[in-house]
Amino acid sequence: MKQKILITGGAGYIGSHTAVALVEAGFEPVILDNFCTSEKSAIDGLSAIIGFRPIVIEGDCNEPSVLENVFNTYEIKGIIHFAAFKAVGESTQLPLKYYHNNIGSLVLLLQTMQKFNIKNLVFSSSCTVYGEPKVLPATEDTPRQDAESPYGNTKKICEDILFDVTKSNAGNKIISLRYFNPIGAHPSSEIGELPIGVPANLVPFITQTAIGKREKLTVFGDDYDTPDGTCVRDYIHVMDLADAHVRALMYLAKQEDNFYDILNVGTGNGNTVLEVVKTFEKVAGNDLNYQIGPRRPGDVVKTWASTEKITRLLGWKPQYSLEDSLRDAWNWELKLAKR
Ligand code: WQD
């Protein structure tokens, strides 16, 4: 009998790719999603990759009855918690929406886990907690900065909640994964990123510009203290990120109760915005229409991950290059255009 793993937000970008990695590792994903920021078509694509339709429950993690029903129905051995709102800009306009959803759903999940004696949890955190790291690469001991946004603050608060819960001898075994910049899509182009409206993030804006959905990319500032004046980020292929979740789950199973740790998930390399643009042009085989514009308020100038700890503890190493990620992102955009 395959161990069932609950993926909250499992129809989303990272959740759906993690469902693929879970199946490939011999687990059975149970997807809980309210589809408020994801599409049901993601389940079709996921099913095409894994060869069967996974268990999908349409529901909200903030509803006690929804979680109780899942745990009463399925023997859940572990949970990967993706369900959260993640639009940085929107969070500054609607902070209560973000505090209620992102923090409320985690608290309810932890309470329900305790009620059903489910211990193992992998939590989706973000490098945003580091703000502008003073020393690079950022290690897990890099001091967390005041969040630039309510979204970023919810990630910091959730990490504190997880730490306090494991300190309280409740018996949980928890890992927070601090994602750097997830990009790309499954190599099959069956699943990928589905931004809502105008993409806030760089790579989907690039691919939508290249396909003709956007007129041109604006590079937000080229006067920073970086090799070419544009900001530096650690862009990690979503399948490498998915693999990190599976390894984290398997690692937790071997730990004692009341375990908590934090791991960065990035490539360990930083690339500038213009390096991403130039790499994309090479992959797509044509020039991208872009202009240099003003800086975007709140942008971190330079950040990239130290991956020493996740490699040492989980044996995890990124398998995809920036070129691979941009090729998969572009192939996904081309597939979307045919829908
Ligand atoms: C990357 C770089 C922009 C768009 C955000 C969240 C973070 C995480 C990942 C959720 C920056 C530049 C972007 C554009 C541009 N989200 N850019 N033109 O801001 O590093 O991280 O997404 O977990 O929490 O903060 O990612 O892709 O928005 O920006 O020049 O049209 O691309 O200035 O330097 P970011 P991003």
Side-chain angles (χ1 to χ4, degrees), residues 236-237 240 243 266-269 307 310-311 316-321:
I236 176 166
H237 194 291
D240 277 331
D243 180 43
T267 65
N269 304 305
T307 58
I310 190 170
T311 301
W316 176 92
K317 284 198 172 85
Q319 303 300 306
Y320 295 83
S321 67

Side-chain angles (χ1 to χ4, degrees), residues 153-196:
N153 206 29
T154 66
K155 290 301 181 184
K156 278 180 72 177
I157 294 166
C158 286
E159 287 189 356
D160 293 342
I161 291 168
L162 294 171
F163 178 74
D164 289 343
V165 162
T166 45
K167 246 186 1 184
S168 71
N169 286 327
N172 294 89
K173 299 189 268 190
I174 301 173
I175 282 182
S176 287
L177 295 179
R178 287 178 179 164
Y179 307 166
F180 280 70
N181 288 59
I183 61 169
H186 190 268
S188 68
S189 301
E190 292 289 353
I191 54 175
E193 195 167 2
L194 287 166
I196 297 167

